[in-house]
Amino acid sequence: IFCLSKVDMRAGQLCVGNSVVSIGVAGGIGAGLSALGGGEVNEVTRLVHDGRQKSFDRMLLEARHYGGTGITGISFELINHGGNLEFLTIGSCVHKGQDEKPLSFSTSADAQQLYCQLDAGFEPLHFVFGNVAYSIGLGGNISGAFRSLVRGEVKDYSEIFDRTRHLALSRITAEAKKYGANAVIGIETTISPLLGAQEMIMVGTASHHPLLSEYTNEPVTSDMTNEEMWNMVSLGYMPIKLVMGVSVYSLGIKAGLMSILQSIGGGEVDGLTEMLYEAREKALARIEA
């Protein structure tokens, strides 16, 4: 409430939108076959994206009904109802002064984060998300299982996790471009099991900053919190791109047994210490590259 008053806004109604969907028999078979092959499970990606989009659109309709200037703190929830999936979108309507414009923005930021966005010069335009449903696949599972017999990186898993993260980022960026944004800020990433696969989703706020005009065709991306962003801008810095490095490691059977025996006896578990150090170094090298 305090932060809203600082930007000449006041709290409105809580708004909710939902959509209940069923994947169906044909869709379930198709998704199952896609999951066996590994990589993105397109049927599940589309199903989930459409369900989230419909629930989001219905929440916006409710916000317009209440006459809000914008909607803040938008979040997604997913609830399983006996095989049917309910997609739920929740946000808080806000009003601005006397010269209120009808629903001019939506953001994943809550009121405190919204203050930080605005004070740092970012104009929130639209809540955006990018999702990917993916499976390691039967081949990946078998290959990964064999690789995990020996100590070292399981490259099949590293590649899939890296590819899906970058795919989700490219989709949230493409969504932001549709709204004329030159930045996607406050990006949050969540991974959860879904219909025999995994869903990776990134949510954030498509925004515009007058000092980032050269990034209209390739919007800036950042997973800094809005408070961190406010601090960075205050120091004269701007984000450029969210970068990622992934490394999946296996301890291997022999080293795994040795680690178990060491953990029983107490003291440092050498195998785990070395492996985790190597994995972090490799991930760090990739994010630097």
Side-chain angles (χ1 to χ4, degrees), residues 163-187:
R163 189 164 64 247
T164 51
R165 279 177 168 82
H166 283 90
L167 190 53
L169 182 61
S170 69
R171 286 175 178 169
I172 197 173
T173 305
E175 191 77 10
K177 285 171 68 175
K178 292 196 305 187
Y179 298 106
N182 57 20
V184 191
I185 58 176
I187 295 175

Side-chain angles (χ1 to χ4, degrees), residues 199-262:
E199 186 204 21
M200 178 176 295
I201 182 168
M202 291 185 176
V203 302
T205 304
S207 308
H208 183 272
H209 197 290
L211 299 181
L212 296 173
S213 56
E214 62 186 284
Y215 291 97
T216 303
N217 292 325
E218 192 60 39
V220 157
T221 52
S222 171
D223 70 343
M224 282 188 285
T225 67
N226 290 277
E227 292 87 345
E228 289 169 342
M229 177 77 73
W230 182 87
N231 280 316
M232 292 295 287
V233 173
S234 298
L235 293 172
Y237 291 90
M238 280 286 190
I240 297 174
K241 182 69 67 177
L242 173 61
V243 291
M244 295 168 280
V246 182
S247 183
V248 180
Y249 261 64
S250 168
L251 192 58
I253 290 180
K254 181 181 176 182
L257 290 172
M258 291 297 293
S259 294
I260 291 171
L261 293 173
Q262 279 186 300

Side-chain angles (χ1 to χ4, degrees), residues 35-36 135-148 156-157 160:
L36 290 176
S135 168
I136 293 171
L138 183 60
N141 275 317
I142 293 172
S143 175
F146 280 120
R147 287 176 185 271
S148 64
D156 308 73
Y157 292 178
I160 286 175

